[in-house]
Amino acid sequence: MNKYILSKKTVVNDLATFYSFLIGLFIAFFIGSLILLIQDQNPANVFSLMLKLSVGSINSLSSSLNKAIPLILAGLGISIMNSVKLWNIGAEGQIFLGAIAVNLIYININISNSSLFIVILLASGFIGGAVCILFPAITKVIFGVNEIITTLLTNYIIIGLTIYLVNGPWKDPKSLNFPAAAYVGEEVYLPTIFGKLSSGFLVCILFVIGAYYLKEKSVFGYEMRIAGGSAMTAIYAGINAKQKAFYAMLIGGGFAGLAGAIELLSQTHRVSTGISQGFGYTAIIVAAITGMRPVGIFLVGCLFGALTIGGAVIQTIGVSSYIAEIIQASTLIGALIAQFFFTYEIKGVQDG
Amino acid sequence: MADVQLMGLLNATLQAATLLFIAALGELITEKSGILNLGVEGMISIGAVTGFMTAINTENLFLSIIVGVLSASIFSSIHAFVTVILKQDQTVSGLILTILGLALSSLLGKKYVGKKLMVKIESISDITEPSNVLEVLLNQNFIFYLAILLMITTSFVLKKTMFGRRLEAVGEDSRAADSMGLKINKTQFIATCVGGAFAGLSGVYLTLSYVPYWTDNMTSGRGWICLALVIFGGWKPYRTAIGAVLFGFLEALVPRLQTYGFDLSPYLVKIAPYLITILVLVILTIYKEGKTGAPGNIGRPFFRENR
Amino acid sequence: MNHKILEAKNISKSFGKIQALDDVNFHLYKGKIHGLLGENGAGKSSLMNILSGIYQPEKGSIIFDGDKQKKINPESAARLGIGMVHQEFRLIENFSIKDNLTLSKANIYIDDFEDAFKKYSEIFSLTVNQNTLISELSVGEKQKIEIIKLIFNNNNIMLLDEPTAVLTPQETNQLKNSLETLSNEDEKTIVFITHKLKEIKEFTETIFVMKNGQMVAEDLETASVSDKDLITLMMGEINTAVVEKNNEKGEVKLEVENISLETDAGGFNNLNDINLSIKAGEILGIAGVSGNGQVELANIVSGIQSNFDGKITIKGQDVTEKGVRARKKLNLSYIPENRLGVGLAPGVSILDNSVVREYFSASYGPHLSKNKMVNYLNLLVKEFSIKTGEPKAEISTLSGGNMQKLLMGRELISNPEVIVAAQPTRGLDVSAVETLHELIVDQRNKGSAIMLISEDLDELFKLSDRIIVLYEGKIIKEFEINEANTNNVGLAMAGVIE
């Protein structure tokens, strides 16, 4: 009985993703504690402070939820694209182009009804995100060009474009040290619900429900699942797999673009390189950890939003804010390791 | 004087190219084994910060280089473990490596921001203003020559030796390679760690020579350019080197644009490498009917008993 | 001399719920050609995969030349000289022949590669240059390279998994001669796997028979065993029953006129001027060695393949320019050869897979009704007695037979008027085959026009009213069922017309 073999389980526990997430979170906090200990910090103190400063008051809780919005929206976009088994590594760029699109429309048209204007601006953000992924989508669908690479590279093109805009054509002369475009007017700020919580959060919840419906309950979602499972089955079923993939990509990009729009209209109020601080990449972690489930993305997005705020505020006691990012990344590594044990089994071999 | 200017540009081009090329070559080796590692940015950061820290504390350059290379390699073994042994998604795992690497390096380097480096990898001769091509070449440090050596060796090993053919076989079709008795897991694991080591060398070059100080995020997206370079080079060392020189040239050109009187935004020039790579990838995919040179099995986990 | 070079004892192996091998014993004599006979799915490939170290057994031991082996993996198998030719080739397409032949560390012809390659090229009548890329070779040539690869890697035990499945009759003959040469001159121990009786008698010296994961006969001397015994062993009770053929035929439901197709792959997969028609209540059998255009024909009729010349008429309507959906609306059903991958989407739930044909009828505009889907699945489960677990479980958790029942049920429940069924019973056990045959006959009696594509002659003879033989993309011969026999249909499949 000293031989072992690895085999794939045919039936995977329904809650495997959830358990993996918990295990991952546990491992991550363990690693985080170790790092804190090395830095002569008391992990219990730091974590309780993080907890207090991220969800302890209306203000901090609303800041945390504000941070969750872009993670959730971009994560949803990634999960929709994953229905057709495509990766969107380009959420970061889509967030930027969403914000750029908002500013472009804001500069060029003026609508006196501000709620209508806001809706139009949010829609332009969505369209901006979709435009951002248009080229990867076209080349994927027509020529089969690897979308991981094209969406990834698009990020840097869009971020480059942003830097160009805020240093050149859109440069606000009033902003001296930090290159940025001019602020948008207060009439298009997203109103807050309570504390600092932006009404963008309601939009976000609406889109969580929308993404859930689209993926799980709609004909389009069904067609995406079949197309993602097997392109040949899709053709056999008379489903235009390429068309579904194309739409899935545009919608996925749009979700991230909307995140950019909300970020602009509720947080930064102007285009700069600060529109996204790696939200597009963290969103990939969020989506991957939850097994691409919309409701899971919502919950983990909120948690990660709180972690980010917690990480930012503990700087005041001399702890690096990067501890939050390390915990986020380690959670996914831990979850991947746990996932392995849910999908594979190690069997003993009988001799004889 | 124009000559000196031009040589200055060439000098800067070669330096930028060296940095990009070494990490790209490492990624090329990793990808040849069938493993995609999107964590180049993170691995360079780790190499850069650990090398820098060692140099500040010990003032021993040799030791610093070794530490930078080894720590990046060990760091990349996380990716190897998660993707090769545990067979999890390579895209996700690579991205974590980037996020984790950037965060860890910022954490580690926090105390070192603004510290002055007492030792630096010097060029092999002391010429202050190179005025001809030979002097430019002599103005490079030994890592530049090491990069050339690595390029020639890697190309030779991949094309001409059984070892290299076996590595490529694993990446092309791991099932076939497995049936030939080649060790898939071992090959991929090692290739991933070698890729990490190369990225670490790039990182050391960055902080001990290219810009000898430490700030957060000082890799500033170069890791992604390295990934782009591998595609640009069609998974061939020499073509990747040409790409590195081209992209290095663009990087060197940016701060000099105005001196040359070009009315071109430096910010737009910075986009060029990414644009060029996307176009090359698209053109290659169309023109060669999908045969971009990418290893056949890239990104797909290997599990022998898969039916 | 009968020297036992390799012995496998009490081997068991399962894949999930499926017991692939159940306490199997097997042994090989040095220098002999062994036949391993059994239907698709009997466990032949699994056993070979265990001997070559690809799969690890859950139970049992392997003894090489008297020594019990601790663990066989591809590496140790290579060291022991055990090599296998898989049905799907294990060659690296972008590499040259020479690379493929020399990559293994077990290689013995590194220095004298040229001479050795020349020698074995002659034995195998191979006429290609060593620097040719594998991707440029024909299937038959790849097969030869696979076998030569084993020789170059010093494999004295060669496990050949259905090597003739992809070969023309001439190539099969050539292979037989080459293998005899290897066995006689090089003392190679060879296992020849097939489910074709004729070949096992011609190729081998001793025969092993597997059925349903068990070894049902060991070491039968080829010269003295009768066909009938082998069939009984392989199939269990022989079911010579032919379904009654005095079924009533109605008007023509499917008409195929002058169909021609040029594929990228070229060669045999092209179709050349195909004409056929099928009436209501009639089963037209399409015979042929795999890869002679059957898949393409089925895909054209079902609407998957476009860009062909000719005309397709279903129930009097010209559907040449129409797609899959339009043909489904005319009540055409297609049971594709590739069950998991075409007919069913892997990685997707049983529920989702069960409604692939009719999902739009469970929709209200963009909304998909889960209730309707579940009801539909329950109906299929009841009507076709499918053993299934949770509806949301992944499709591959079903056994092969239940998967096929789900697929056929899904395609047949709407009582289609035209049915294209390709290899509907391949790889299934006898009882599942029987059930599925009943379904097909039932459908015929209800007035469907059925195009039955099969490589299994017994199945074709049992069910068909007429048989058409496809050879290199052409209809080489058409038989009424009463004039067809194994001999003349078999010859036609090989391209010979009497």
Side-chain angles (χ1 to χ4, degrees), chain A residues 3 213 219 222-223 225 230 236, chain C residues 70 334 341 352 359 366-367:
Chain A
K3 292 193 289 182
Y213 183 83
V219 172
Y222 176 80
E223 292 174 331
R225 282 202 295 282
S230 160
Y236 163 82
Chain C
K70 266 209 181 113
Y334 175 28
D352 282 350
Y359 70 90
H367 180 73

Side-chain angles (χ1 to χ4, degrees), chain B residues 118-133:
Chain B
M118 302 311 284
V119 287
K120 178 177 183 284
I121 305 174
E122 300 293 346
S123 47
I124 56 170
S125 68
D126 8 280
I127 299 161
T128 40
E129 268 200 344
S131 59
N132 59 42
V133 177

Side-chain angles (χ1 to χ4, degrees), chain B residues 186-246:
Chain B
K186 193 175 154 193
T187 310
Q188 294 187 328
F189 202 104
I190 292 174
T192 306
C193 293
V194 168
F198 277 48
L201 186 59
S202 258
V204 173
Y205 184 84
L206 178 65
T207 44
L208 299 187
S209 165
Y210 194 67
V211 272
Y213 56 81
W214 172 259
T215 56
D216 275 9
N217 271 332
M218 66 182 297
T219 39
S220 57
R222 288 197 183 83
W224 303 114
I225 295 201
C226 295
L227 281 162
L229 267 176
V230 179
I231 302 158
F232 180 89
W235 286 264
K236 293 187 175 73
Y238 290 114
R239 256 170 63 184
T240 304
I242 294 171
V245 172
L246 176 66

